[in-house]
Amino acid sequence: MVCLGNICRSPLAEGILKSRLDPNLFYVDSAGTAAYHVGEKPDNRSILTAKRHGIDISNQRARKFIKSDFINFDVIYAMDKENFHDIISLAKDDFQQRKVKLLLNESKLFSNKSVPDPYYGGDDGFEDVYQMLDQACEMIEKKYL
Ligand code: 4NP
């Protein structure tokens, strides 16, 4: 799960998808395309939103997306179109490029949309983001059932 800062959207997405998949079968992680917040905990608003839904993301720490992620992961979900293009530009070939998907394309309701960046908005934005992410993660879960 990849966003810009790896403190708002992708930590939530990581927590949600982890809660929906068997940890013995799936390895889920998140990263940011930018390094501004490397080493930091998720934004408190993401931590609280996850907590309200019974998910603890407080142990996550931000990291930057790196080229070896193309080798270590089968699917790379971008939160928005800018992240999508930034990740694609780091791929070394078609095989790696094809691993990159826009997360909301997994969801019929939000197909081809970006997950809005809630960083500069109010608390409501985080709940809206949670609902979008959860919808997409529900579809991913169903794919692998
Ligand atoms: P995220 O949100 O990409 O969902 O983690 C942001 C976090 C930090 C910044 C921008 C977006 N920032 O500019 O510092």
Side-chain angles (χ1 to χ4, degrees), residues 1 10 19 44 79-80 101 105 127 130 136-137 140 143:
M1 297 296 195
S10 59
S19 78
N44 259 327
M79 298 298 118
D80 67 32
K101 298 175 194 304
N105 279 351
E127 181 58 28
Y130 183 93
C137 289
I140 296 171
K143 260 212 248 207

Side-chain angles (χ1 to χ4, degrees), residues 19-68:
S19 78
R20 288 181 167 278
L21 297 177
D22 179 348
N24 295 311
L25 299 176
F26 294 91
Y27 181 74
V28 181
D29 195 15
S30 64
T33 56
Y36 324 125
H37 297 282
V38 167
E40 292 178 21
K41 281 183 170 193
D43 187 288
N44 259 327
R45 296 165 294 178
S46 282
I47 292 178
L48 291 173
T49 302
K51 199 173 173 189
R52 272 202 306 278
H53 292 276
I55 296 173
D56 182 6
I57 62 167
S58 62
N59 289 329
Q60 292 185 30
R61 294 294 178 272
R63 72 170 179 92
K64 193 170 187 263
F65 182 86
I66 47 175
K67 285 183 179 177
S68 58

Side-chain angles (χ1 to χ4, degrees), residues 2-11 32 36-37 43 46 79-80 83 116-120:
V2 184
C3 63
L4 178 64
N6 193 210
I7 55 165
C8 296
R9 293 165 292 178
S10 59
Y36 324 125
H37 297 282
D43 187 288
S46 282
M79 298 298 118
D80 67 32
N83 310 146
D117 183 349
Y119 187 62
Y120 294 106

